[in-house]
Amino acid sequence: MVASVEQVWDWLDAVPDPEIPVISLVDLGIIRNVAWAGDTLQVTVTPTYSGCPATSIINLDIETALRDHGVEKIELKRQLSPAWTTDWLSDKGREKLEEYGIAPPQPAGGPERCPHCGSTAVEKLSQFGSTPCKAQWRCTECLEPFDYFKCI
Amino acid sequence: MAEVMEKTALFEFLCRMGDNTLILGHRVSEWCGHAPVLEEDIALANTALDLIGQTQLWLEYAAEVEGKGRSADDLAFLRDVWDFRNVLMLELPNGDFGQTLMRQFLFDAWQVVMLGHLVRSSDTRVSEIAEKASKEVAYHLDRSRGTVIGLGDGTEESNARMQAALERLWPYVGEMFASDETDAAMLAAGVAPDPASLRAEFDAIVLPALAEATLTVPEGDFAHKGGRDGGMHTEHLGHILCTMQWLQRAYPGAKW
């Protein structure tokens, strides 16, 4: 019994991002393609940031999840172009980020509002944060600092 | 024969790109745990991480082109000083925070321009790596440019330090725009632009920012050279490699 491509997408949607476990790898937009080539399942993955240390863990997590579902032959392909963009974050992913306390990326280059209290009075602390994909901001209303998912 | 020469030139070109990001990435990582404030510490570490990630992409391709069974790690950890192709500016010691950010700004500006051209490379792999890296580098430039302006147009102390940093580093800028037969071969093959042709675009980014930072660009166009062609590195590169390569030298083949 060979799993359908749709089934595989569902499985991958249950694999959490290792750094931000509230969103899945599919939410993150880094799974670019799933296809069968004969009896081999090919999964195409694109890196978020070229030096992101989570990349190798992500590949390992994908492989482990698929093996747990009985897939035996797996080929992970890396795709660099088109380069990953935060436009590929799913709406579900964006909502979950905000619930988790991380402001989702905005084309304007800064968070729309504080993920804690919803105030729009926010200021940037640093262009970089705890992982390559985040920056540090602070709410000047509730005074809480928060992560902002960088828009690239 | 032409194909062999082009392959040699491509390998050389890829090492220049990868060694630039490797050596600067290592230098920037030396700040980890030492930056003036926590936010800057994190920013520097993240910048270093991006640079090392780009190194992996460049050197991985270099190793494939070379075709001698070496990996990106072999190139990074098992070559000696004379085989490195980074420009001299990137191997100089960090100096103070201001000098580190001035160096970052000058290199970021060059990278932004260079990668902008490489996105249109006739070599698909080069074009893909450039597309990926240019997004990260645009972000780096945004920060380094802002910091150079902030510190240059800051206090008397910060201005003096930034001016000193600019005077220290300016004679190293010219090497980024040097060109030789490798560049001619890359240009002919449509792989990469002639670096000499990039100066005007670089100046258009750098000069207005330095003016806004109230800094004075030193006179003279003398340029220290010898890094990108491996002719004569500074004494500092050997010290970097001692630290960076120590583990693989002491325990050959050790894995994480």
Side-chain angles (χ1 to χ4, degrees), chain B:
Chain B
M1 189 61 195
E3 205 173 295
V4 173
M5 278 185 57
E6 197 183 302
K7 197 173 127 179
T8 309
L10 180 57
F11 174 72
E12 183 83 4
F13 166 75
L14 294 168
C15 285
R16 288 175 178 180
M17 295 302 294
D19 287 346
N20 276 345
T21 51
L22 173 62
I23 296 302
L24 182 60
H26 187 83
R27 274 292 185 225
V28 175
S29 78
E30 291 172 357
W31 275 100
C32 197
H34 300 279
V37 289
L38 184 60
E39 286 77 9
E40 290 304 327
D41 203 288
I42 290 170
L44 286 161
N46 270 293
T47 303
L49 195 59
D50 285 343
L51 291 168
I52 298 301
Q54 292 163 20
T55 304
Q56 262 165 350
L57 298 175
W58 290 123
L59 293 188
E60 176 187 63
Y61 187 31
E64 281 172 36
V65 168
E66 186 193 38
K68 291 184 183 167
R70 293 203 279 183
S71 66
D73 281 343
D74 292 336
L75 291 177
F77 296 119
L78 299 175
R79 281 179 303 157
D80 214 328
V81 166
W82 45 82
D83 287 328
F84 273 77
R85 295 293 181 263
N86 57 285
V87 293
L88 298 178
M89 181 173 79
L90 306 179
E91 68 197 41
L92 298 180
N94 285 329
D96 60 17
F97 179 73
Q99 188 179 318
T100 298
L101 265 295
M102 178 63 80
R103 179 187 60 197
Q104 191 69 41
F105 172 58
L106 296 171
F107 181 68
D108 288 345
W110 179 83
Q111 265 225 309
V112 158
V113 173
M114 181 54 134
L115 294 173
H117 285 267
L118 293 182
V119 167
R120 299 188 296 274
S121 173
S122 63
D123 184 306
T124 314
R125 185 83 167 267
V126 168
S127 149
E128 287 180 356
I129 297 172
E131 182 190 344
K132 183 76 200 157
S134 60
K135 287 190 154 200
E136 295 163 0
V137 171
Y139 201 83
H140 295 173
L141 177 63
D142 192 40
R143 167 173 173 273
S144 61
R145 184 179 171 279
T147 314
V148 163
I149 293 172
L151 290 173
D153 187 19
T155 64
E156 204 175 311
E157 171 77 14
S158 71
N159 174 273
R161 284 180 180 240
M162 294 313 276
Q163 185 63 42
L166 183 59
E167 278 161 27
R168 169 91 172 103
L169 297 173
W170 196 252
Y172 291 90
V173 166
E175 192 187 10
M176 296 193 285
F177 304 96
S179 54
D180 58 12
E181 65 278 8
T182 295
D183 301 298
M186 290 297 92
L187 179 66
V191 173
D194 178 359
S197 70
L198 306 179
R199 187 63 195 250
E201 284 176 74
F202 172 86
D203 285 346
I205 295 171
V206 167
L207 299 182
L210 293 178
E212 199 179 334
T214 69
L215 298 173
T216 309
V217 175
E219 284 180 25
D221 56 2
F222 172 75
H224 291 287
K225 288 175 187 162
R228 72 193 298 275
D229 60 6
M232 177 76 82
H233 279 281
T234 68
E235 66 191 275
H236 307 295
L237 182 60
H239 292 271
I240 295 180
L241 298 190
C242 267
T243 311
M244 192 177 84
Q245 298 183 334
W246 173 82
L247 194 103
Q248 279 305 318
R249 300 287 191 188
Y251 303 96
K255 283 198 182 327
W256 189 244

Side-chain angles (χ1 to χ4, degrees), chain A residues 59-106:
Chain A
N59 287 345
L60 187 67
D61 288 350
I62 292 172
E63 213 171 319
T64 308
L66 295 176
R67 287 203 194 290
D68 286 349
H69 285 290
V71 183
E72 281 170 10
K73 290 188 182 168
I74 302 161
E75 188 193 346
L76 291 181
K77 298 165 95 173
R78 182 186 71 193
Q79 180 180 305
L80 288 180
S81 177
W84 179 77
T85 158
T86 38
D87 292 348
W88 294 344
L89 271 174
S90 70
D91 288 342
K92 168 167 73 85
R94 296 175 64 91
E95 275 172 36
K96 286 185 175 172
L97 278 179
E98 192 164 17
E99 275 172 39
Y100 190 60
I102 300 172
Q106 301 294 342

